[in-house]
Amino acid sequence: MQFFIEVLLGGLLSGVMYSFVALGFVLIYKASGVFNFAQGAMVFAAALTFVGFQEMGLPFPAALLAAFAVMVVLGIVTERVVLRPLVNQPPITLFMATIGLTYVIEGLAQGVWGANVRGLELGIEDVPVQWLMDSTGIGVSTFDLFGAGVAALLVTLLALFFQYTRIGRALRAVADDHQAALSIGIPLQTIWRIVWAVAGFVALVAGLIWGARNGVSFSLTFTALKALPVLILGGFTSIPGAIVGGLIIGSTEKLAEVYLGEYVGGGIDSWFPYVMALAFLLVRPEGLFGEKHIDRV
Amino acid sequence: MKTKTLSKTLVGSVIVGGLLATAVADAFAQAKEQFIGLPSYRVGAYAAGGSGVFGGWIDYMAMINERDGGVGGVKLTWEECETEYNNARGVECYERLKKKGSTGNSVFQPVSTGITYSVLDKVVADKIPMVTIGYGRTDAADGRVFPWVFPMITTYWSQATTMVKYIGSKEGGIDKLKGKKIVYLYHDSAFGKEGLSVLEKQSQKHGFSFVPLPVAHPGNEQQSQWLKIRQEKPDWVILWGWGVMNPTALKAAAKTGYPREKMVGVWWSGAEEDAIPAGDASKGFTAAGFNVAGPNYPVIKAIQDKVYKQNKGNMEDKSRIGSVYYNRGVVHGIITVEAIRTAQGKYGKRPLSGEEMRWGFEHIDIDAKRLKELGAEGFMPNLKITCADHEGSGLVKYQQWDGKQWKIVSDWIEPDREMVRGMIEESAAKYAKEKGITPRDCSKEG
């Protein structure tokens, strides 16, 4: 039982890490209906930029601010160069554009900062909480708990931003209906710029957490693969959905790997979440918290 | 009028003569160049490894050109083609490079197991030798069945047996392995699976229990595997990873409280790029290598003197000169140049075709004396290739990360040659049967 609890807890905390990346997808999809394929590349670029500024001698807060500024600029340029010319184009066109954007961001980041693998220290040790280990025998990482705390803070901030600020309300209006929002004078392009900047901030946070865990390398782009089943499960338009989806995916994939893995050759945690998400799609296509889409004919 | 015509004729003759001379000189210059196609990867998930290996390799060839004027008066030329470590792009690069240079591409070294498998049949048809140093298909070491493939210095199977020997030495003797438990944490790919069969056999031979645990690509999440390791309580963990899987494993080991001193890694997990991202979690981790790290070897000093002092170096980040991957690239350069030198001994000092280069690779003999002349004493093991044996010494050294750099902690360790060679011949014979290949009779080869 103790081992089961440890696997479950570990899975839940891993799920929080997936949620970080999923949040970026949700923000952009919610505001513009674009599935941003470049979110993984943004995570990588943000972390690489942060480490790059640190290597230039900037202290932690300054490097964080500078990296955020770069992500804001990236968001603005994306809106101006990629999205604006494609307004009113079918969603698949916008999706294809973000695939192109992925390669641009990956290449640009490596071109500017180099392809070297770097370490990233946030000052939080990735070791088991000793008192918990001594008293219960269950190993839970200090870093994972820190990650969960950051996720809780981030979701709270986003929820407050969307709920109580003018821009947040405008974002929600755009998300609900572009045409209606435009008709009452909400500037669509400004909203898109803001949402891409916020997604850039979320990518930076995800990049820092994942980078501190595994190092800052091109592989950070693969974190997007972990977010996709979370999105299918939680819904593409729900911030709480990204968190709950992450928790479900994280815990089930770990339990499946540990308890079922040996019967099917192991290494199933890469595809099991997708199987689960697909099965879920059959029952609830809009995801756990996604908006039900009804077309009047 | 006559004078005018004469001067016109003279001018015309000078121009035509000049053009002809230039063309001849060009042709001559081209004729004195040996082309090496480099299917490199400097972007993508494995860029850190690719930029190090190909950077070191190019720097070594540049040093040979600068210091010696090429090999036997033949200048080395090269062209990179970006594969991104992707099989399809690797094949594309193979096709693009194969007709370059006056004699075509004379050797293909993809530094990727996947690309190796993808072009295995092509190199035979095109008569271009493929050299796979420390990767690729292990049974290709049987040169009777695979005359065009050279998995040189040491193979994955040899390495796995040296790992067992190294672990045995740490336990106080190979006989002390009886009753011990070793987990094999591997990348769930053809590369990772290469170690399975030989380690299974080693476990039967030495009496230790063997627990394989696959990690799905790319390996950036290993919580489940490490929880299993915590449950299994192994005496040792063999880490057979590549790319992000390595620092993730080291971090996860620290997270679950598993001692890094009890972890031994494959040579693709033993570079600075694997240890640095994991920070303090890497301290104490040991990894195999067929080359060592460090800039204090005459060959590296020669590169710094002849190439970097002239601002002609390939590495943007000069702190990487002497790193594990960089030095591995230098090893690639040494072997390529020694093959050219060997082949020139038979065919003359001129550009060589793929077939001639194949002969050169098959007759490489880098002994201790030659290593010293090359400034690579202790840098890499001796290497002698024959018609039947395309592997060579099979020797492996172990290095431990002390928190800042790799420190050598073993001498060159001999593989379990009897077991490995037996497995190679068995597997190669099976391949030959499947493909209808009649193995060469090496007693008849020149």
Side-chain angles (χ1 to χ4, degrees):
Chain A
M1 190 61 189
Q2 179 201 322
F3 183 66
F4 175 83
I5 293 170
E6 190 167 358
V7 175
L8 183 67
L9 273 176
L12 290 171
L13 291 168
S14 291
V16 173
M17 300 277 285
Y18 306 160
S19 299
F20 276 122
V21 189
L23 275 175
F25 282 100
V26 168
L27 282 171
I28 291 175
Y29 191 82
K30 206 171 151 61
S32 56
V34 176
F35 179 81
N36 178 26
F37 192 80
Q39 193 63 32
M42 283 169 67
V43 171
F44 167 55
L48 195 58
T49 305
F50 171 80
V51 177
F53 281 128
Q54 273 200 321
E55 283 176 355
M56 285 168 69
L58 262 62
F60 187 95
L64 192 68
L65 273 177
F68 177 50
V70 169
M71 296 312 289
V72 170
V73 171
L74 182 70
I76 292 169
V77 172
T78 303
E79 187 279 324
R80 182 70 191 84
V81 179
V82 183
L83 297 180
R84 203 184 293 183
L86 297 175
V87 167
N88 290 329
Q89 296 299 314
I92 187 68
T93 310
L94 287 160
F95 172 65
M96 296 304 282
T98 66
I99 292 180
L101 186 65
T102 305
Y103 290 103
V104 172
I105 294 175
E106 286 171 2
L108 203 63
Q110 289 187 100
V112 173
W113 303 110
N116 287 0
V117 181
R118 275 96 157 185
L120 199 166
E121 276 300 328
L122 295 179
I124 313 289
E125 277 196 297
D126 203 354
V127 291
V129 179
Q130 206 52 51
W131 64 265
L132 193 65
M133 182 74 124
D134 293 342
S135 55
T136 64
I138 294 172
V140 175
S141 157
T142 321
F143 188 87
D144 284 348
L145 289 175
F146 167 75
V150 173
L153 185 67
L154 194 65
V155 170
T156 310
L157 282 174
L158 287 172
L160 291 173
F161 176 71
F162 275 103
Q163 205 66 36
Y164 297 107
T165 66
R166 209 163 149 246
I167 298 171
R169 278 195 293 273
L171 280 169
R172 279 162 55 211
V174 170
D176 281 346
D177 191 328
H178 289 183
Q179 298 293 337
L182 269 173
S183 70
I184 57 162
I186 293 173
L188 196 60
Q189 284 151 5
T190 309
I191 294 299
W192 277 2
R193 280 200 289 270
I194 291 169
V195 87
W196 274 82
V198 176
F201 175 70
V202 173
L204 177 60
V205 176
L208 294 184
I209 299 283
W210 275 92
R213 158 64 49 84
N214 298 342
V216 177
S217 70
F218 185 85
S219 307
L220 282 178
T221 60
F222 298 142
T223 52
L225 296 176
K226 289 285 183 188
L228 292 181
V230 173
L231 289 167
I232 297 170
L233 203 76
F236 280 78
T237 52
S238 166
I239 290 172
I243 299 293
V244 176
L247 294 174
I248 295 173
I249 290 290
S251 53
T252 48
E253 76 170 18
K254 300 293 179 268
L255 289 168
E257 176 66 45
V258 169
Y259 292 105
L260 303 175
E262 60 186 293
Y263 302 109
V264 283
I268 67 170
D269 47 1
S270 61
W271 54 262
F272 185 81
Y274 285 90
V275 172
M276 213 178 114
L278 280 173
F280 198 82
L281 270 180
L282 295 174
V283 186
R284 204 178 153 85
E286 67 277 11
L288 266 178
F289 297 87
E291 289 158 11
K292 206 161 194 168
H293 187 75
I294 300 166
D295 278 326
R296 288 200 168 83
V297 286
Chain B
M1 187 68 187
K2 209 173 179 183
T3 320
K4 217 173 178 180
T5 315
L6 186 69
S7 24
K8 264 188 184 173
T9 314
L10 269 173
V11 170
S13 309
V14 168
I15 292 171
V16 170
L19 286 173
L20 266 174
T22 315
V24 169
D26 275 357
F28 185 72
Q30 200 184 18
K32 293 295 271 181
E33 284 177 352
Q34 184 72 49
F35 177 77
I36 318 284
L38 300 174
S40 59
Y41 39 97
R42 292 177 183 270
V43 294
Y46 305 107
S51 59
V53 170
F54 287 93
W57 185 353
I58 288 172
D59 279 348
Y60 183 80
M61 294 195 292
M63 186 271 285
I64 293 293
N65 278 348
E66 290 291 324
R67 190 189 65 187
D68 307 337
V71 187
V74 179
K75 280 258 182 191
L76 301 174
T77 60
W78 54 87
E79 183 181 312
E80 288 187 74
C81 178
E82 177 65 47
T83 69
E84 289 187 26
Y85 199 76
N86 173 301
N87 293 356
R89 280 175 186 265
V91 175
E92 206 180 306
C93 282
Y94 171 83
E95 293 295 340
R96 195 183 303 169
L97 293 169
K98 80 178 180 189
K99 293 220 165 82
K100 298 253 171 165
S102 57
T103 55
N105 190 17
S106 51
V107 56
F108 191 70
Q109 307 187 56
V111 197
S112 151
T113 297
I115 300 173
T116 300
Y117 275 82
S118 302
V119 299
L120 201 64
D121 293 335
K122 286 178 180 284
V123 295
V124 179
D126 296 328
K127 297 191 186 308
I128 297 173
M130 177 157 65
V131 178
T132 60
I133 303 171
Y135 61 93
R137 195 178 167 123
T138 298
D139 59 4
D142 190 339
R144 297 167 307 168
V145 177
F146 296 90
W148 292 92
V149 189
F150 296 85
M152 280 188 185
I153 300 190
T154 177
T155 60
Y156 286 136
W157 292 351
S158 291
Q159 176 186 213
T161 64
T162 69
M163 281 174 162
V164 173
K165 276 193 182 178
Y166 177 77
I167 291 170
S169 74
K170 291 287 154 192
E171 289 289 345
I174 198 89
D175 55 310
K176 300 283 192 302
L177 285 178
K178 198 165 188 175
K180 300 281 180 198
K181 186 187 275 186
I182 299 178
V183 159
Y184 177 60
L185 188 69
Y186 67 99
H187 193 270
D188 197 7
S189 62
F191 150 71
K193 286 173 186 166
E194 276 284 327
L196 278 171
S197 55
V198 70
L199 285 169
E200 193 80 62
K201 278 186 181 256
Q202 285 279 300
S203 74
Q204 287 156 10
K205 181 175 175 180
H206 298 295
F208 61 84
S209 80
F210 175 63
V211 183
L213 282 182
V215 175
H217 173 78
N220 58 352
E221 180 55 45
Q222 297 173 29
Q223 178 114 10
S224 329
Q225 286 80 5
W226 282 93
L227 285 170
K228 269 190 185 173
I229 289 172
R230 213 160 95 79
Q231 199 184 27
E232 291 280 354
K233 295 185 178 64
D235 298 286
W236 289 84
V237 171
I238 290 176
L239 171 62
W240 203 282
W242 175 222
V244 71
M245 180 181 158
N246 298 320
T248 306
L250 292 166
K251 283 267 193 174
K255 198 164 97 171
T256 44
Y258 190 82
R260 268 42 48 76
E261 290 77 8
K262 295 282 184 180
M263 288 175 71
V264 179
V266 66
W267 49 58
W268 299 112
S269 70
E272 289 78 1
E273 287 78 0
D274 302 301
I276 291 170
D280 287 342
S282 309
K283 205 171 169 183
F285 170 59
T286 307
F290 52 83
N291 65 279
V292 295
N296 299 321
Y297 291 88
V299 62
I300 304 294
K301 298 268 180 225
I303 290 173
Q304 280 168 329
D305 280 351
K306 300 289 172 190
V307 182
Y308 281 89
K309 278 193 182 161
Q310 323 293 323
N311 284 325
K312 289 180 179 171
N314 191 269
M315 300 299 286
E316 245 176 70
D317 179 359
K318 292 176 185 59
S319 68
R320 293 181 72 199
I321 298 169
S323 67
V324 170
Y325 281 142
Y326 182 87
N327 287 3
R328 194 159 294 167
V330 174
V331 168
H332 279 71
I334 289 175
I335 291 174
T336 307
V337 167
E338 286 310 291
I340 296 171
R341 215 184 293 282
T342 307
Q344 281 184 353
K346 179 177 165 82
Y347 300 105
K349 290 178 178 172
R350 59 170 175 76
L352 304 159
S353 66
E355 256 181 303
E356 291 163 341
M357 276 290 275
R358 195 204 70 78
W359 190 92
F361 282 114
E362 200 158 77
H363 291 82
I364 275 186
D365 186 3
I366 306 174
D367 57 9
K369 185 171 161 269
R370 184 65 188 145
L371 273 180
K372 199 170 180 183
E373 286 166 3
L374 293 168
E377 197 179 15
F379 185 77
M380 60 178 274
N382 298 354
L383 180 66
K384 184 173 167 60
I385 301 296
T386 64
C387 165
D389 178 15
H390 279 194
E391 178 183 7
S393 65
L395 297 174
V396 177
K397 226 174 212 186
Y398 284 82
Q399 304 187 97
Q400 191 170 40
W401 184 254
D402 71 356
K404 283 187 178 141
Q405 58 187 324
W406 291 101
K407 288 270 166 72
I408 298 165
V409 290
S410 82
D411 207 344
W412 292 111
I413 297 178
E414 281 269 358
D416 185 339
R417 196 170 287 280
E418 197 188 330
M419 178 185 282
V420 172
R421 188 65 201 178
M423 288 174 70
I424 285 172
E425 286 183 10
E426 191 186 358
S427 178
K430 204 171 144 200
Y431 179 84
K433 201 175 169 190
E434 273 169 23
K435 293 272 182 179
I437 298 169
T438 309
R440 287 188 294 167
D441 180 354
C442 282
S443 64
K444 290 177 184 160
E445 292 284 324

